[in-house]
Amino acid sequence: QADHVAGIGALAGRVHGRRVSRGRISFVHILWRLVINALALWVATQVVNGITFKGDWLLLVGVSLVFGVLNVVVRPILKFLTLPFFFITLGLFTFVLNAFMLWLTGVVSMALGFGFDVDGPGAALVGGLVVTVVSFALSLAVKSGDKKKKDD
């Protein structure tokens, strides 16, 4: 399932498939998640009409942090409240939730002056797909790099 890469909160207990001792997430891993999410959000601004970002890389990392915090705090609540829709749609409602989380990231980021904006539900839906796919691919690349280092 691709929604596991969307935020930092999904990392609790496991990092790259390995159990994390005492439920702790390493600082380095959180930094990797911020970078991966920042790159995924940047790609969305480049390929999706209606998603814009005006700022430098530091602001984009700020947007990534907003995205991660919202996914940790808001997403689990929304997922619980919309659980029947997940069952009825056999999980396809995940796309709607991803779109909403991206839109909410845009609202909060604009309120904070970070310059990230999502203009409408269509852009949010396509952008959610792009962010999910790019985050997943980058996470696999990081995981693959970690495995190669251990094998050497």
Side-chain angles (χ1 to χ4, degrees):
Q1 212 176 22
D3 71 337
H4 73 281
V5 297
I8 298 169
L11 300 174
R14 293 210 172 264
V15 174
H16 298 305
R18 295 184 306 267
R19 184 106 177 105
V20 176
S21 63
R22 288 173 263 147
R24 294 184 187 175
I25 300 171
S26 75
F27 181 71
V28 172
H29 189 75
I30 290 172
L31 285 178
W32 270 117
R33 292 298 327 148
L34 283 174
V35 169
I36 287 171
N37 282 337
L39 288 170
L41 291 166
W42 179 79
V43 169
T45 66
Q46 300 302 302
V47 299
V48 179
N49 289 332
I51 298 180
T52 56
F53 173 69
K54 295 176 182 149
D56 59 10
W57 280 99
L58 188 58
L59 281 178
L60 191 58
V61 171
V63 173
S64 178
L65 185 61
V66 168
F67 185 66
V69 168
L70 289 174
N71 274 295
V72 168
V73 176
V74 177
R75 185 183 187 90
I77 296 166
L78 290 177
K79 204 166 187 178
F80 176 74
L81 293 174
T82 60
L83 198 58
F85 294 110
F86 283 94
F87 288 123
I88 291 169
T89 64
L90 302 175
L92 291 176
F93 194 75
T94 299
F95 297 120
V96 174
L97 185 59
N98 287 348
F100 179 78
M101 295 307 298
L102 186 62
W103 173 82
L104 186 60
T105 299
V107 169
V108 173
S109 295
M110 288 303 286
L112 294 173
F114 288 171
F116 181 80
D117 187 38
V118 179
D119 186 30
L125 186 62
V126 175
L129 289 170
V130 169
V131 168
T132 299
V133 169
V134 172
S135 293
F136 181 72
L138 290 173
S139 294
L140 286 178
V142 169
K143 183 178 178 180
S144 174
D146 285 350
K147 187 175 183 174
K148 286 181 185 177
K149 284 181 186 176
K150 284 191 175 195
D151 290 343
D152 290 341

